[in-house]
């Protein structure tokens, strides 16, 4: 069974703290993503990575950075947490490998990390 | 960039009724349109998708239709059941699959 694991389901941090959100996938996927989920706003892409050490900004990268040192692991870093970063963070992965009729593009999501910044 | 709008934000139906969720997109280059279902406490999961060379796709009680000219696509759920209660997201992307643009979500409540 495919699996994307986010290390922390719930975190409470203080303003100004450095926060690490970890994500690991066991499907050998090339692509990994970090999304932020807020009510009424859907899922917004923060960063994605299509290969080890490669990263690209999504739609809301400000205040965040990422790290991908190994293919299976993608970390989201909040250098100095602020209250407006209180949110649900979702990690996802997908494959670019073609099979059968072509790339499926399916995103596999973790269960999310709910971050509260006080 | 792409802009995906999704309606309604909440939908309440009686068990056995049909439910329809609609999305519009702005970028004519988008050619792959998945739908994701998010149950409480879980991450979203793909339930059905459609590519731009197809007008309709069906999988048991769920179906998706696509109107490329009008740039809108819809999710249809027939004979709804309580386990269909969840938040549904539509999305649009191009075939490079690097950037998915999601709608704002629809919370579906199926009343027994």
């Amino acid at each position: 069974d495919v699996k994307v694991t986010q290390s922390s389901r719930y975190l409470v941090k203080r303003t100004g703290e450095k926060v690490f959100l970890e994500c690991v996938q066991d499907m050998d996927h090339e692509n990994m993503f970090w999304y932020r989920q807020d009510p009424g706003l859907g899922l917004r892409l923060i960063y994605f990575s299509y290969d080890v050490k490669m990263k690209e900004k999504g739609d809301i990268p400000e205040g965040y950075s990422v790290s991908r040192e190994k293919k299976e692991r993608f970390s989201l870093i909040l250098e100095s947490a602020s209250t407006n970063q209180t949110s649900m963070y979702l990690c996802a992965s997908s494959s670019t490998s073609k099979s059968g009729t072509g790339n499926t593009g399916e995103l596999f999501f973790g269960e999310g990390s709910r971050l509260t910044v006080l | 960039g792409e802009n995906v709008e999704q309606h309604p934000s909440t939908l309440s139906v009686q068990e056995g009724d049909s439910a329809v969720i609609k999305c519009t997109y702005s970028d004519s280059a988008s050619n792959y349109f998945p739908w994701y279902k998010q149950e409480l406490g879980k991450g979203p999961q793909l339930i059905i998708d459609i590519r731009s060379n197809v007008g309709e796709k069906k999988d048991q009680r769920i179906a998706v239709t696509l109107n490329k000219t009008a740039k809108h696509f819809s999710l249809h759920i027939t004979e709804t059941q309580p386990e269909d209660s969840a938040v549904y997201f539509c999305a649009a992307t191009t075939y490079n699959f690097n950037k998915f643009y999601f709608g704002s979500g629809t919370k579906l409540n199926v009343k027994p």
Side-chain angles (χ1 to χ4, degrees), chain A residues 8 13-14 18 22 31 33 39 42 82 86 90 103 110 117-118:
Chain A
S8 303
K13 298 292 181 181
R14 296 213 172 270
K18 191 169 186 176
E22 305 284 342
N31 303 322
F33 307 79
S82 62
T86 291
L90 289 165
N103 189 351
V117 182
L118 302 175

Side-chain angles (χ1 to χ4, degrees), chain A residues 42-61:
Chain A
L43 280 67
R44 294 179 292 165
L45 182 64
I46 305 171
Y47 268 97
F48 70 97
S49 169
Y50 53 88
D51 201 352
V52 175
K53 296 192 186 295
M54 305 303 289
K55 60 185 180 184
E56 286 201 25
K57 293 180 180 179
D59 299 312
I60 52 164

